[in-house]
Amino acid sequence: NGSVEFMFTRQCHFKVEDDPNIDLEELELEMIDVGAEEIFREEEDGDDPAAIVIYGSFESFGSIQSYLEENNYTIISSDFERIPMQTKKVTEEEEADVDKLIEKFDEDDDVSNVYHNMA
């Protein structure tokens, strides 16, 4: 009761070590069969090395992980996300208020993740 789960799609994502010899188009064509929906390169950012990011459906997590492991990709991280189907534009004041509320939720030990549709 009261859940807003229907407002979000559930997706999995993986970050793997980048290798300049990897052809992203070829990798994407191979990974479509295991459930990958979007693949792109993420540039180096401070302490974070360059990586290849892979998004897929929630249900494809296991098959994507198996593919990466079988093909000797080094997985940096993997997780699940909830992506809003629609976003809501807010003013700077509203955004500050919502950010304060989200911070309060994050301080609660019983809350593990907070998702919103604020743009």
Side-chain angles (χ1 to χ4, degrees):
N1 244 351
S3 172
V4 293
E5 178 79 22
F6 67 92
M7 295 172 61
F8 297 87
T9 59
R10 293 175 71 184
Q11 288 193 313
C12 66
H13 74 272
F14 291 83
K15 271 189 186 180
V16 298
E17 283 186 7
D18 192 7
D19 180 347
N21 298 324
I22 296 173
D23 180 356
L24 278 187
E25 289 181 21
E26 208 171 293
L27 178 62
E28 187 169 18
L29 289 174
E30 291 175 17
M31 292 198 67
I32 285 174
D33 294 336
V34 295
E37 295 173 356
E38 182 179 2
I39 298 176
F40 59 91
R41 277 198 164 89
E42 191 174 74
E43 298 299 319
E44 189 173 333
D45 183 28
D47 294 338
D48 295 332
I52 295 174
V53 180
I54 303 159
Y55 277 90
S57 68
F58 176 78
E59 298 79 17
S60 299
F61 184 88
S63 58
I64 292 173
Q65 181 178 8
S66 294
Y67 176 89
L68 293 172
E69 289 172 351
E70 289 168 6
N71 290 281
N72 300 317
Y73 286 93
T74 303
I75 299 173
I76 298 170
S77 67
S78 62
D79 205 355
F80 295 101
E81 286 186 41
R82 285 183 170 77
I83 311 295
M85 290 193 275
Q86 294 180 335
T87 57
K88 169 94 169 109
K89 281 241 184 251
V90 294
T91 65
E92 286 183 27
E93 292 171 356
E94 291 171 327
E95 184 175 355
D97 289 342
V98 172
D99 285 340
K100 285 180 191 175
L101 181 61
I102 291 172
E103 284 177 30
K104 294 282 186 195
F105 285 136
D106 284 337
E107 291 171 5
D108 188 326
D109 291 338
D110 293 331
V111 175
S112 55
N113 293 313
V114 176
Y115 299 96
H116 60 81
N117 65 344
M118 180 173 56

